[in-house]
Amino acid sequence: VKCKKVCRLLPLLAGSDLPDRKNREIKAHLQICPHCQREYESYLLSFQKTKEWLERGQEDWQEEEWQGLIQKALQGEELVPSFRPRMRFKRAWVYALMASAAVILSLFILRPSIFRDKTGREAKEAGGVPQQESISVTIVSQETGLKIVWFFNKNFELKEER
Amino acid sequence: MKSEEELVEEALNGNHASFELLLRPYGQGLLNMAVRITGNTEDAKEICQEAIIKVYKYLKNFRKGQSFRNWLLKILVNSSYDFLRQRKRAIKIIESQKNAGQSRGSAVEEKFLQSEIREKIQVCLQDLTPKEKSAFLLRDQEGYSIQETSEVLGCSPGSVRVHLSRARRKIRRRFEEIYENKEARA
């Protein structure tokens, strides 16, 4: 085991929070490495001392304070009917929703090759023939030479007359 | 002596004394946990109040067979997080606690000793994130196992080990600073 890995695990070893196998490995390393042994002793000292401080620095309620606390809880709230949400909120759902939204958006914004032809242009109608947007009809009078042009849209509604 | 499940049942039936009996063994633990997380006794009491109100309100949701202590601490830890998040004053609290500890130290000898210890604890805990603090306090103060700690914090045992390891590393650094200062003063 390398010193770097041992040093990483020393805080857990000081509190006996390592699995047995790792515990043995690290302790075997400490036998042969004075630097890691010193580090371990330092962790052990801080661990024991803080534990002692935590035990000695305990605070407690005064009886009236405690009773007041309980009374407030009892008065403040009525027991509510059991409520357990059927589905618990999970962060993974948000990520999944965001990922699917991103995929859909990319389909519309980036327009991948499924929407384009081989030259990179957008595919028009099936068969490749572009649909005609407007139709014009020209009538020319033989006597006067007057020319009338009617423009129709694709639904054959009159758009313009010249 | 009645079991916790019986007390829960009675409290749900409107027996106020049973509710008090149910919580009494954990009163001190709740207060100390909240004090360490917030670094301030007044705020800690406020958090305990909120947690106990929630306990009473949602007692019906407590599942039989579940550990009441774990459930209680989970509510307390979440209330503490909410409190710190809402007021956004985690750093301020620690600083004010430091100052309060310094000013309180001039009373009676025992009180001085208590406040000195309290101050030391706060100095040690000041760099810790709420998760690291909770993991450390549950494991090293309350004596919870890694598995139990992970249940209370709602994360995996691996995450608890990571939080715990970071917490102990930061505490050791602060601890060394305290001792270096002491030696320098001597």
Side-chain angles (χ1 to χ4, degrees):
Chain A
V1 198
K2 285 184 180 174
C3 287
K4 201 176 166 187
K5 191 184 170 189
V6 171
C7 283
R8 218 177 52 227
L9 295 172
L10 285 179
L12 293 174
L13 182 74
S16 312
D17 291 315
L18 284 176
D20 281 348
R21 196 175 60 84
K22 266 194 182 151
N23 218 25
R24 279 198 299 276
E25 272 177 23
I26 308 293
K27 281 197 171 156
H29 176 86
L30 294 180
Q31 298 282 322
I32 53 162
C33 179
H35 172 259
C36 290
Q37 177 65 33
R38 269 199 306 277
E39 282 282 297
Y40 174 60
E41 280 164 11
S42 154
Y43 272 113
L44 216 54
L45 181 68
S46 78
F47 176 75
Q48 284 164 353
K49 214 66 188 161
T50 43
K51 225 174 164 184
E52 190 188 306
W53 289 344
L54 286 171
E55 276 163 23
R56 287 175 68 188
Q58 299 265 346
E59 296 190 32
D60 205 354
W61 297 98
Q62 287 178 348
E63 189 54 32
E64 305 113 61
E65 251 182 341
W66 175 252
Q67 290 299 338
L69 196 78
I70 298 291
Q71 282 311 312
K72 265 190 192 171
L74 294 172
Q75 287 161 7
E77 293 290 338
E78 285 300 310
L79 282 174
V80 293
S82 179
F83 168 73
R84 244 179 246 146
R86 273 186 217 151
M87 292 205 302
R88 284 187 66 191
F89 171 79
K90 283 184 182 166
R91 201 173 287 171
W93 294 349
V94 179
Y95 293 139
L97 201 70
M98 281 165 66
S100 45
V103 169
I104 292 165
L105 273 174
S106 70
L107 283 177
F108 281 104
I109 297 168
L110 302 172
R111 301 199 182 186
S113 57
I114 52 166
F115 294 121
R116 296 176 182 184
D117 61 14
K118 281 180 187 168
T119 59
R121 280 178 301 199
E122 280 182 39
K124 295 274 166 52
E125 287 296 297
V129 182
Q131 195 186 20
Q132 200 168 347
E133 288 294 318
S134 60
I135 304 153
S136 66
V137 176
T138 311
I139 300 167
V140 183
S141 166
Q142 283 186 345
E143 291 103 10
T144 58
L146 184 70
K147 203 190 226 178
I148 300 168
V149 185
W150 289 331
F151 290 91
F152 298 92
N153 66 10
K154 56 184 174 187
N155 298 326
F156 220 76
E157 289 163 347
L158 186 66
K159 270 169 65 181
E160 202 182 336
E161 182 180 307
R162 279 188 211 157
Chain B
M1 206 173 138
K2 284 173 184 170
S3 71
E4 279 182 347
E5 282 190 5
E6 284 171 328
L7 290 172
V8 169
E9 205 62 47
E10 286 177 8
L12 285 172
N13 291 331
N15 188 339
H16 293 176
S18 297
F19 181 67
E20 200 270 329
L21 274 175
L22 183 66
L23 287 177
R24 187 167 276 276
Y26 307 112
Q28 191 186 6
L30 287 180
L31 179 64
N32 281 300
M33 185 81 183
V35 169
R36 308 284 181 245
I37 293 176
T38 58
N40 178 311
T41 313
E42 289 313 306
D43 290 336
K45 285 178 180 170
E46 207 176 298
I47 288 168
C48 287
Q49 176 76 77
E50 208 174 306
I52 289 175
I53 288 174
K54 279 183 190 164
V55 167
Y56 187 65
K57 193 174 170 185
Y58 297 110
L59 198 59
K60 275 204 165 181
N61 292 357
F62 175 71
R63 275 170 278 159
K64 280 181 185 173
Q66 196 185 358
S67 159
F68 184 74
R69 189 174 72 145
N70 286 7
W71 186 68
L72 193 60
L73 275 173
K74 199 171 188 171
I75 291 176
L76 182 88
V77 168
N78 289 336
S79 301
S80 310
Y81 288 169
D82 289 344
F83 181 84
L84 292 177
R85 213 177 297 128
Q86 276 168 14
R87 306 237 176 142
K88 290 182 185 171
R89 45 183 228 192
I91 300 161
K92 257 196 210 166
I93 286 165
I94 290 160
E95 280 171 1
S96 67
Q97 176 65 17
K98 259 174 80 183
N99 297 335
Q102 279 160 7
S103 62
R104 258 183 250 142
S106 57
V108 196
E109 200 177 329
E110 180 57 27
K111 270 194 172 176
F112 174 76
L113 196 71
Q114 280 290 322
S115 67
E116 204 187 339
I117 289 169
R118 208 179 297 138
E119 188 195 339
K120 279 176 184 167
I121 294 168
Q122 288 315 323
V123 171
C124 285
L125 297 181
Q126 69 183 359
D127 297 331
L128 272 56
T129 63
K131 270 261 157 114
E132 289 166 359
K133 218 181 262 186
S134 318
F136 170 75
L137 292 171
L138 286 168
R139 177 79 187 103
D140 293 349
Q141 179 178 282
E142 299 297 318
Y144 271 45
S145 68
I146 297 281
Q147 187 60 41
E148 285 172 323
T149 309
S150 74
E151 279 165 23
V152 172
L153 296 183
C155 56
S156 68
S159 302
V160 171
R161 283 200 176 91
V162 170
H163 292 313
L164 199 57
S165 175
R166 284 186 193 148
R168 285 183 187 155
R169 194 167 290 135
K170 287 177 183 175
I171 286 169
R172 183 201 136 188
R173 201 168 52 219
R174 284 286 170 191
F175 176 81
E176 282 175 346
E177 278 173 20
I178 292 171
Y179 269 76
E180 274 166 23
N181 287 345
K182 222 177 181 181
E183 278 168 19
R185 263 186 263 145

